[in-house]
């Protein structure tokens, strides 16, 4: 699956990309575990934005058709009762893909995790995987703040006074990721390429 991920690594061009009129989608998933081949998505949250701010949001619980392990419930607060009766991924995939769009640039913290899970779910449906380019704010934050030592989303949110309303819930994590993306651009302006240069 790794070769299918279109990660953008030229972090010096992020400010130019932002001001080019590009539309981004901050994405987060909550899952039953760490293995896309065996575990399942239980929640998707996405925040579409551009340089002016939030354009739209998407959030849904997903019935994984397997039991949620206790450690996942402890981390996320999502219980088996909450997902019982919710739609399965194959039933919400169309709405999610319509929301995302193919030209939108995905922004996610540890992006490989979320992209591999979404792609694994799509492949189970015999659907094409995501064609979108993506930016990993974990890597971007390490590049911007190499002296930090800690780059978890929650640590960075606290460091930069980004409001966390519901940690480890997909939509709020996606919003925090969006705000971190802006902070990384702001924090690396001396290294960002000028807007007027090609």
């Amino acid at each position: 699956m790794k070769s299918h991920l279109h990660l953008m690594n030229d972090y010096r061009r992020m400010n130019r990309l932002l001001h080019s009129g590009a539309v981004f989608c901050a994405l987060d998933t909550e899952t039953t575990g760490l293995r896309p081949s065996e575990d399942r998505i239980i929640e998707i949250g996405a925040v579409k934005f551009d340089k002016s701010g939030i354009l739209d949001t998407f959030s849904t619980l997903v019935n994984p058709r397997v039991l949620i392990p206790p450690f996942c419930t402890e981390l996320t607060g999502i219980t088996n009762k909450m997902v019982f009766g919710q739609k399965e991924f194959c039933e919400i995939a169309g709405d999610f893909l319509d929301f995302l769009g193919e030209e939108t640039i995905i922004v996610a913290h540890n992006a490989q995790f979320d992209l591999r899970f979404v792609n694994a779910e799509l492949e189970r449906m015999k659907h094409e995987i995501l064609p979108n380019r993506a930016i990993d704010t974990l890597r971007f934050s390490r590049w911007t703040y190499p002296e930090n030592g800690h780059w978890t989303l929650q640590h960075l949110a606290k460091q930069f006074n980004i409001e966390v309303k519901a940690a480890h819930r997909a939509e709020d994590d996606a919003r925090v990721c969006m705000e971190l993306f802006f902070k990384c651009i702001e924090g690396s302006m001396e290294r960002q390429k000028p807007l007027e240069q090609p």
Side-chain angles (χ1 to χ4, degrees):
M1 188 77 72
K2 190 171 183 179
S3 61
H4 295 149
L5 304 180
H6 310 292
L7 291 177
M8 304 174 70
N9 296 315
D10 189 353
Y11 301 121
R12 297 171 303 158
R13 295 177 181 270
M14 293 298 151
N15 189 47
R16 280 169 47 186
L17 184 64
L18 179 66
H19 285 86
S20 72
V23 176
F24 303 85
C25 186
L27 172 67
D28 187 70
T29 59
E30 302 301 334
T31 66
T32 60
L34 303 176
R35 299 161 300 181
S37 60
E38 299 174 33
D39 294 305
R40 297 292 187 271
I41 290 174
I42 56 175
E43 188 177 39
I44 295 178
V47 177
K48 191 176 286 188
F49 67 97
D50 64 10
K51 63 182 178 182
S52 64
I54 294 175
L55 302 172
D56 202 358
T57 61
F58 179 94
S59 180
T60 184
L61 289 167
V62 180
N63 185 344
R65 295 303 295 266
V66 296
L67 289 175
I68 300 173
F71 77 88
C72 290
T73 295
E74 192 173 325
L75 180 69
T76 65
I78 300 172
T79 64
N80 288 300
K81 187 175 182 180
M82 287 167 65
V83 298
F84 181 78
Q86 298 287 340
K87 293 179 179 179
E88 295 176 45
F89 183 88
C90 61
E91 297 174 287
I92 62 94
D95 288 342
F96 170 66
L97 293 174
D98 286 346
F99 174 86
L100 181 62
E102 292 188 2
E103 300 302 317
T104 303
I105 300 167
I106 294 170
V107 178
H109 204 69
N110 191 16
Q112 293 187 51
F113 179 89
D114 300 289
L115 295 174
R116 284 176 174 158
F117 262 93
V118 172
N119 283 339
E121 295 279 15
L122 289 171
E123 287 184 325
R124 286 187 197 103
M125 296 167 51
K126 310 297 183 196
H127 193 285
E128 292 181 4
I129 62 171
L130 295 176
N132 305 68
R133 294 179 295 164
I135 298 164
D136 183 356
T137 51
L138 175 58
R139 294 183 182 185
F140 191 11
S141 62
R142 282 176 170 160
W143 180 83
T144 307
Y145 306 105
E147 71 288 345
N148 238 37
H150 298 281
W151 297 274
T152 65
L153 189 62
Q154 303 309 322
H155 179 90
L156 291 163
K158 186 174 182 181
Q159 180 176 341
F160 297 118
N161 295 313
I162 298 171
E163 183 183 8
V164 175
K165 299 174 184 174
H168 302 296
R169 291 302 300 268
E171 185 181 348
D172 198 54
D173 279 357
R175 178 192 55 79
V176 171
C177 182
M178 173 198 73
E179 295 196 29
L180 175 61
F181 176 68
F182 286 125
K183 288 287 185 185
C184 285
I185 291 176
E186 183 185 314
S188 62
M189 280 308 294
E190 289 184 359
R191 299 159 76 187
Q192 291 293 324
K193 291 194 171 182
L195 296 178
E196 63 276 7
Q197 284 187 3

